[in-house]
Amino acid sequence: MFTPRPRIETLSIAGRHACHVIDDALLDPGALIEHAVRHAGDFVEAPHNAYPGPELRMPDAFSAQLDAFFSQHLRAHFAVRRTERMYSRLSLTTTPPERLRPAQSLCHVDRLSVSPAHRIIASVLYLFDAPDLGGTAFYAPKHPPEVILPMIHASGQLDAAAFEAAYGVRTGYMTESNAWFEKRLSVPARFNRLIVYEGTVFHSGEILHPERLSTDPRRGRLTLNGFFTCRRRLAA
């Protein structure tokens, strides 16, 4: 299902990390949209993560295709040897901004800690043909970990009013720098565009027009998200 000859554009994130962009990634992106439509009733909200909307786990056979594409064309960009675990899911951003939990009003990483032997890689494939539904923004902390980490922990413990009073972060989708994070890169959405980046870089969906969000997979902000746990390449 993936293009056999991708053209990869590499964008720098604050000079230390990179986001790799591949346009026209799928040969038939409509097939994934139709899969989402057929299984619209199977999308569920996952309370264990901060995604602001329902998700649908993809079959292992499809995830294996995504992993094969990653291994052939992108793995070398991250200095990793092999994928040890991975999965993919379809996701629909649907939560109104006023209903976001504090953790959803911040940028995030896909895992706060990872063993030194591993690296977490993430991917997003945009399956909507409306760029104003929002791409992805990348951020850098303005404070050291001993300041940032307690704030992130509190975002999962406090209600919205208490979190805003303590840390000055208002409820809503994060689209700009704030007192805690500086926006370093914005990657616009484009239909059938795949982006791949290290999951431990702070990032967030750039939802500039939440009034446009929809629960209809044909009209809403539908994405395919992939997550790879990879073993780092051995030092020479």
Side-chain angles (χ1 to χ4, degrees):
M1 294 181 67
F2 290 87
T3 178
R5 292 180 293 276
R7 179 182 177 274
I8 302 173
E9 180 184 7
T10 298
L11 306 176
S12 175
I13 306 172
R16 294 185 59 244
H17 300 279
C19 176
H20 306 284
V21 182
I22 298 170
D23 286 328
D24 303 315
L26 287 173
L27 297 178
D28 183 13
L32 269 188
I33 298 171
E34 291 308 309
H35 179 81
V37 171
R38 288 195 304 271
H39 295 275
D42 298 323
F43 279 74
V44 295
E45 302 236 5
H48 63 277
N49 66 40
Y51 191 82
E55 306 165 353
L56 176 68
R57 184 77 171 244
M58 289 298 290
D60 290 345
F62 177 85
S63 292
Q65 291 186 52
L66 175 57
D67 185 43
F69 181 82
F70 168 79
S71 297
Q72 181 177 357
H73 300 291
L74 291 150
R75 184 168 61 189
H77 291 276
F78 295 96
V80 293
R81 290 189 291 151
R82 65 178 184 272
T83 303
E84 294 195 345
R85 297 184 303 278
M86 71 84 57
Y87 75 97
S88 65
R89 70 182 189 226
L90 289 169
S91 306
L92 266 171
T93 305
T94 59
T95 305
E98 66 274 10
R99 288 179 47 206
L100 293 175
R101 303 191 304 273
Q104 296 171 320
S105 297
L106 291 169
C107 54
H108 65 280
V109 296
D110 294 316
R111 189 174 298 178
L112 276 173
S113 61
V114 61
S115 77
H118 294 90
R119 180 166 281 169
I120 304 300
I121 313 299
S123 66
V124 179
L125 175 64
Y126 305 114
L127 291 167
F128 52 92
D129 197 8
D132 59 344
L133 285 176
T136 301
F138 296 90
Y139 295 83
K142 290 183 175 181
H143 306 280
E146 60 267 24
V147 177
I148 289 288
L149 293 180
M151 184 271 294
I152 293 174
H153 177 74
S155 74
Q157 306 297 315
L158 301 178
D159 63 28
F163 186 72
E164 181 179 350
Y167 296 99
V169 177
R170 294 185 177 181
T171 300
Y173 285 102
M174 185 174 182
T175 59
E176 297 294 342
S177 301
N178 60 21
W180 298 93
F181 296 95
E182 179 182 355
K183 184 159 74 170
R184 293 295 185 88
L185 176 68
S186 179
V187 182
R190 178 180 174 182
F191 181 62
N192 202 18
R193 166 175 284 176
L194 175 70
I195 66 171
V196 187
Y197 52 90
E198 191 159 359
T200 50
V201 178
F202 282 95
H203 58 278
S204 180
E206 199 165 25
I207 313 300
L208 297 170
H209 296 282
E211 73 281 0
R212 295 279 316 276
L213 298 176
S214 172
T215 58
D216 182 350
R218 289 196 179 99
R219 298 192 303 113
R221 192 180 185 277
L222 177 68
T223 59
L224 172 76
N225 300 77
F227 303 92
F228 309 79
T229 300
C230 301
R231 181 163 289 275
R232 292 178 183 268
R233 187 182 300 159
L234 295 175

